[in-house]
Amino acid sequence: MMSENFNEFKNHALGIHVSISGKLDQSVERAIEVGCVGAFQIFTCSPRQWNASKLKSEEVDSFRKKVTQYRFQVFVRMPYLPNLSSPEEKFYSKSVEVLKREVSRCE
């Protein structure tokens, strides 16, 4: 019974959140090591800070190559601090800037 149910999902992606600690492209190896199939999730920076260090182009290039090679779909999470529903203008504006930055980093 269990194996029959599992076969229903064999063509679906299954992944978890993995760390980008060290270098962005190492997240692909981490996803493989923990058994991700077709997908995984990352933060592009520390989720507990407003600022983000610049992504190095050689790391981004390596990351993209590995994602393509292993046929992963990557999902990126927003950091914890932004709140796009904040009634405080300053906090809301800062949150919008982080959203823009994250979208840009994903390109």
Side-chain angles (χ1 to χ4, degrees):
M1 183 77 162
M2 178 78 147
S3 62
E4 290 176 21
N5 290 339
F6 180 76
N7 285 331
E8 291 178 32
F9 299 103
K10 69 181 180 182
N11 294 323
H12 292 74
L14 177 65
I16 63 170
H17 174 87
V18 294
S19 173
I20 66 165
S21 180
K23 291 184 177 181
L24 176 65
D25 64 329
Q26 291 175 333
S27 62
V28 179
E29 283 90 3
R30 290 183 183 112
I32 293 166
E33 287 172 12
V34 298
C36 293
V37 178
F40 64 92
Q41 183 180 96
I42 60 171
F43 290 109
T44 71
C45 60
S46 171
R48 294 181 180 94
Q49 296 180 11
W50 286 103
N51 298 323
S53 8
K54 187 170 170 38
L55 294 172
K56 297 176 182 172
S57 60
E58 55 274 357
E59 285 182 36
V60 172
D61 291 344
S62 179
F63 174 79
R64 287 182 175 155
K65 286 177 187 171
K66 290 177 183 180
V67 165
T68 301
Q69 176 184 355
Y70 294 104
R71 299 182 178 152
F72 277 116
Q73 185 175 13
V74 181
F75 295 86
V76 177
R77 293 188 58 190
M78 276 285 286
Y80 300 134
L81 300 178
N83 180 353
L84 297 170
S85 298
S86 178
E88 298 176 28
E89 181 59 36
K90 187 174 180 180
F91 195 81
Y92 171 78
S93 295
K94 196 171 188 177
S95 298
V96 168
E97 291 307 311
V98 171
L99 174 61
K100 289 179 188 176
R101 179 196 72 210
E102 289 302 303
V103 169
S104 174
R105 288 165 73 89
C106 291
E107 295 175 341

